[in-house]
């Protein structure tokens, strides 16, 4: 059975003991309800590091009022079984009380990179994300931490925080894992009805269409975005929150996709907020 560690001090002691014995330590932070996207991060961590810790914590600080904090899927025992199959040395699963004891008052934020897209739709979201990631990195003290490109703005903010504040950790960002029909895996897909899920395929279709347009030589952002938007709007059923082609390092709008551009999109299906993205102009995209 994979041990479940509940206390910050206990987690730090365990991690220090492993690293003291010469083991490299990999870390995968998650909110649980694990799927193949999470498990791909685990496998990469496993391949790279002698010891791997996963955290499972539905972080209240990154949910806004009226968001899905209460109904967010939770399945610690199911997650433990999935982790046993890929191999994991400890699950760090602290309570909100343990992470944010009375008097907790210090936060990490990046107002510039959080001003747009997910940050604009969800005020305070990235402040919550950066604060919890900073704390988790201090508690676990990994050599390498693994994140998914599915949450592209989050991955950039984490990389920026680690560089700006000199966290002694390497950040690895891995490609989005998709269902066979193209839908990016997400714990929130569990909220979708079969019919809603079919409509949600508009997101990945939009990315594929823009990628095909790019492969045909189109470099104008306006044309690439128009192609993606057509796919999102026809057939109707998705409500588009944003669609943009940005510089992957700054998240500022591009006029032309040269040499690369990150196509970002978010839409709601029956009230469920879904995001996806694709890097155009790179074989990895
Ligand atoms: P979450 O549990 O949603 O907070 O996600 C935990 C980590 O898994 C984050 O680094 C996500 O970017 C990553 N992740 C979520 N979905 C996917 C996916 N479909 N492919 C790859 N990574 C993912």
């Amino acid at each position: 059975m994979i041990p479940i560690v509940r206390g910050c001090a206990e987690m730090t002691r365990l991690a220090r003991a492993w690293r003291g014995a010469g083991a490299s330590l990999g870390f995968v932070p998650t909110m649980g309800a694990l799927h193949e996207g999470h498990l791909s991060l685990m496998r990469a961590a496993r391949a790279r590091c002698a010891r791997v810790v996963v955290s499972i914590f539905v972080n209240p600080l990154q949910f806004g009022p009226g968001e899905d904090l209460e109904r967010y899927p939770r399945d610690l025992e199911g997650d433990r079984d999935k982790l046993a199959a890929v191999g994991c040395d400890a699950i760090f699963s602290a309570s909100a009380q343990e992470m944010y004891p009375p008097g907790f008052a210090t936060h990490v934020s990046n107002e510039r990179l959080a001003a747009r897209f997910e940050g604009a739709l969800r005020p305070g979201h990235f402040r919550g994300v950066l604060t919890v990631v900073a704390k988790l990195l201090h508690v676990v003290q990994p050599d390498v931490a693994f994140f998914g490109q599915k949450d592209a703005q989050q991955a950039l903010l984490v990389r920026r925080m680690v560089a700006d504040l000199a966290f002694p950790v390497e950040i690895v960002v891995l490609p989005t894992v998709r269902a066979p029909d193209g839908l990016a895996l997400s714990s929130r897909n569990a909220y979708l009805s079969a019919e809603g899920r079919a409509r949600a395929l508009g997101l990945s279709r939009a990315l594929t269409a823009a990628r095909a347009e790019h492969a045909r030589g189109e470099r104008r952002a306006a044309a690439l975005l128009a192609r993606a938007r057509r796919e999102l709007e026809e057939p109707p059923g998705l409500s588009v929150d944003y669609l943009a082609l940005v510089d992957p390092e700054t998240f500022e709008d591009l006029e032309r996709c040269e040499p690369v551009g990150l196509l970002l999109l978010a839409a709601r299906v029956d009230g469920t907020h879904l995001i996806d993205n694709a890097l155009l102009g790179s074989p990895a995209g």
Side-chain angles (χ1 to χ4, degrees):
M1 277 287 234
I2 304 171
I4 296 178
V5 180
R6 304 276 183 186
C8 292
E10 186 191 349
M11 186 66 248
T12 303
R13 267 198 306 278
L14 191 58
R16 283 207 174 133
W18 286 334
R19 294 188 63 191
S24 58
L25 181 56
F27 176 47
V28 180
T30 80
M31 297 205 299
L34 301 181
H35 50 64
E36 273 301 313
H38 300 114
L39 299 180
S40 74
L41 305 184
M42 287 298 302
R43 289 193 194 95
R46 201 45 316 152
R48 170 88 190 266
C49 302
R51 299 277 189 177
V52 178
V53 172
V54 61
S55 63
I56 295 180
F57 179 56
V58 182
N59 174 30
L61 219 54
Q62 71 189 67
F63 287 77
E67 289 189 359
D68 55 343
L69 173 62
E70 274 80 33
R71 77 166 180 143
Y72 194 86
R74 292 162 169 88
D75 179 19
L76 188 56
E77 282 314 311
D79 289 345
R80 200 185 206 178
D81 291 343
K82 289 177 194 161
L83 290 166
V86 295
C88 170
D89 296 287
I91 299 171
F92 178 47
S93 184
S95 65
Q97 268 289 320
E98 174 73 11
M99 291 298 282
Y100 306 119
F104 184 96
T106 307
H107 297 87
V108 183
S109 64
N110 175 334
E111 268 135 50
R112 185 164 53 79
L113 284 179
R116 302 185 67 195
F117 309 119
E118 287 307 289
L121 283 177
R122 307 179 65 189
H125 170 67
F126 285 126
R127 181 177 185 256
V129 169
L130 290 181
T131 301
V132 82
V133 171
K135 182 153 186 172
L136 289 168
L137 290 173
H138 283 129
V139 170
V140 178
Q141 302 180 11
D143 298 289
V144 194
F146 298 80
F147 292 83
Q149 176 64 14
K150 152 95 182 357
D151 299 282
Q153 194 174 10
Q154 168 176 290
L156 176 62
L157 276 152
V158 168
R159 285 200 288 118
R160 194 70 257 165
M161 173 182 77
V162 162
D164 288 351
L165 301 181
F167 280 52
V169 62
E170 179 188 344
I171 301 298
V172 171
V173 180
L174 291 160
T176 301
V177 176
R178 298 174 182 282
D181 59 11
L183 186 67
L185 298 186
S186 163
S187 306
R188 290 196 167 95
N189 293 349
Y191 300 152
L192 299 173
S193 64
E195 189 261 335
R197 196 183 177 291
R199 279 186 282 139
L201 292 178
L203 280 90
S204 53
R205 267 206 329 271
L207 297 178
T208 305
R211 193 178 273 136
E213 205 65 18
H214 181 273
R216 278 194 286 275
E218 183 59 78
R219 295 293 180 269
R220 293 168 302 164
L224 292 164
L225 291 171
R227 183 68 194 86
R229 185 167 288 276
R230 251 199 350 264
E231 216 57 51
L232 282 171
E233 290 180 348
E234 264 323 309
L238 286 177
S239 160
V240 180
D241 284 321
Y242 58 78
L243 170 63
L245 186 76
V246 299
D247 178 319
E249 292 302 317
T250 62
F251 271 44
E252 278 165 18
D253 289 311
L254 292 176
E255 298 256 305
R256 293 184 60 79
C257 189
E258 275 163 348
V260 294
L262 184 64
L263 189 61
L264 292 176
L265 56 85
R268 267 162 299 128
V269 182
D270 299 336
T272 296
H273 176 66
L274 300 173
I275 60 174
D276 205 344
N277 68 85
L279 192 62
L280 303 183
S282 145

